[in-house]
Amino acid sequence: MEVKIEEQAGFCFGVISAINLVEKELENTDKIYCLGDIVHNNMEVDRLANLGLEVVDLERMKELKDTKIVIRAHGEPPSTYELAKKNGLEVIDATCPIVLRLQENVRKAYQEIQKTGGKIIIFGKKGHAEVVGLVGQTNGEACVISNLEDLDNLDCSIPLHIFSQTTMNAGEYKNICKEIEIRLERLCNSGKNQLIITDSICRKVSSRTSQLIEFADTVDMILFVSGKHSSNGMYLYSLCKKHKERTYFISSKDDIKKEWFENCNSVGISGATSTPMWLMEEIAQYVSK
Ligand code: SF4
């Protein structure tokens, strides 16, 4: 039976460089702290915990003094940096450069739109670390929209500038922007002039959709490897499942069932942007036996 791993699957460069940074730090020290899981994958989090990385939440961070804390690829709002400074914490900043640039753009757009009485909108998941970091660039004033229903609470009579969380679905973002335009036009004929749309979805994420579908077409069955809490993983899995019925969601080799392999000559292994390559390789080896 042929077993192959999708070449583009696995960590994005933002997560790879965050993990490299952590591993390098842990070569010289026994323990460092990380604000939140460095990646939405329990097995990778456990591997790094064994090397000395302890995950803390914001409440626990408030108690830390004079130690090192990692800010992960999702980024953080300015208040987190202020807290670190107050507590004498050394920040190991692993914010992805794409997220950093987006934070800067949101900050500048906020300063501009304030002059006109307008509002910044973030299309993203409420409470997601990246979204919290982006809202923090606007003094907490940006409005977070997660779906079309949320638009009912949006004041469309003022100038608006919309950004997207980097990992959102491009099609859904397009629909949201279109709907805002329709509502603006209903209120005033020059609706489009009232809305600025910034395309801030990460290309690494948006290009995964078509790559995965193409890969799925080359095999009989897909084993999709992801943590259950990865939104990117759940999205890519359901997309692949719709396209190829014989797609199975697994978090480790223990989830694999023998009956899936009946009349199967080729297996493709893929995963989310938070799935480590070592885990997919381990599964490929297990399936090949
Ligand atoms: S998905 Fe894109 S923006 Fe997000 S961490 Fe990865 S490379 Fe950076």
Side-chain angles (χ1 to χ4, degrees), residues 113-121 141-143 153-162 180-181 183-185 187-188 190-196:
I113 212 156
Q114 261 188 320
K115 297 174 194 161
T116 63
K119 208 166 188 63
I120 297 292
I121 310 169
E141 288 174 25
C143 173
N153 304 319
L154 186 70
D155 180 1
C156 289
S157 66
I158 55 172
L160 300 169
H161 189 156
I162 186 165
I180 298 176
E181 275 176 353
R183 292 181 188 210
L184 283 170
E185 272 169 35
L187 285 168
C188 58
S190 58
K192 277 188 181 164
N193 300 334
Q194 288 263 96
L195 175 68
I196 302 172

Side-chain angles (χ1 to χ4, degrees), residues 11-16 72-74 94-100 102 130 165-167 200-205 232 273:
F11 292 156
C12 59
F13 76 84
V15 171
I16 290 174
R72 57 199 171 157
H74 298 311
T95 308
C96 171
I98 294 175
V99 176
L100 265 186
L102 175 56
E130 185 187 315
Q165 180 187 334
T166 55
T167 46
S200 49
I201 292 177
C202 173
R203 290 293 163 259
K204 167 71 189 175
V205 175
N232 168 257
T273 50

